[in-house]
Amino acid sequence: MPLTHAPPQPATGNRVSSSELSLEARLAATDAAMTIRLEEAAVAHEVRTAHISTDPIDLGEVLTVPLTPALQPPTPYPTPVAALLQRAHHRLLTDGWCAGALVEEDGARCMVGAIRIESRGDHGLEAGAVAVLLDAIRRKFGDVDSVPSFNDAHSSGRIPLRMLDQAAGLADTRGL
């Protein structure tokens, strides 16, 4: 409810007109009056809602998803190449994406760098993942020379990340 009149002044013999008060004093008086009104409203609200029964809620039962779902690893694919591509995708989400290098000082990686680190030295698995990734890229973008050239052609990791995710699905569909 808007304040439509000045707050009541105490009945004393030394009444001061509002024009003689400084801005700070008028603001302080208005603040005091509003504080009293808000306290009265809070009490009135408690009285009006006292009859409503509320049971405590266990938040453990309500909050069932991670607070940062994008950073949680998804359910892994059962096939090795698809799982590798999925891990590489997750690696880029967590450590960052880069162009022009396999890995940067801050840990950001390109698509091939993420596949290489996640293959854990299995060169055959790495080659299979890069081949499926290149196939997925070519299906979407036409004739692309290589995965590194595709990676370096982008200024952000949004499309390379999406292609890793699509390649993981393609590898799973193929049973790789």
Side-chain angles (χ1 to χ4, degrees):
M1 184 162 140
L3 186 62
T4 57
H5 59 280
Q9 297 290 328
T12 63
N14 295 336
R15 286 196 83 153
V16 177
S17 71
S18 62
S19 63
E20 294 175 16
L21 292 176
S22 67
L23 175 62
E24 288 81 19
R26 290 193 313 253
L27 287 173
T30 303
D31 181 51
M34 289 305 297
T35 300
I36 291 169
R37 292 179 77 182
L38 287 171
E39 288 172 354
E40 289 173 353
V43 170
H45 175 72
E46 286 182 26
V47 169
R48 278 188 246 119
T49 59
H51 70 283
I52 300 172
S53 64
T54 58
D55 296 327
I57 297 174
D58 180 16
L59 291 180
E61 296 174 5
V62 175
L63 301 175
T64 58
V65 295
L67 296 178
T68 54
L71 298 179
Q72 300 300 318
T75 305
Y77 284 110
T79 58
V81 172
L84 170 59
L85 288 164
Q86 186 179 41
R87 289 193 311 270
H89 178 261
H90 183 71
R91 171 74 66 151
L92 291 185
L93 281 174
T94 55
D95 292 353
W97 170 86
C98 73
L102 281 175
V103 61
E104 290 185 341
E105 290 179 14
D106 64 355
R109 297 178 182 277
C110 72
M111 297 166 84
V112 173
I115 291 171
R116 184 163 294 162
I117 194 72
E118 290 297 329
S119 70
R120 297 175 180 94
D122 187 339
H123 298 295
L125 187 61
E126 178 184 336
V130 171
V132 171
L133 178 57
L134 184 58
D135 187 33
I137 292 169
R138 286 180 175 161
R139 285 176 172 217
K140 181 86 172 175
F141 295 97
D143 190 32
V144 174
D145 292 335
S146 66
V147 172
S149 67
F150 176 80
N151 182 81
D152 295 347
H154 292 88
S155 59
S156 79
R158 186 175 59 87
I159 293 174
L161 275 162
R162 186 181 323 142
M163 291 313 303
L164 269 172
D165 189 45
Q166 289 178 9
L170 180 62
D172 183 57
T173 301
R174 292 179 178 174
L176 300 174

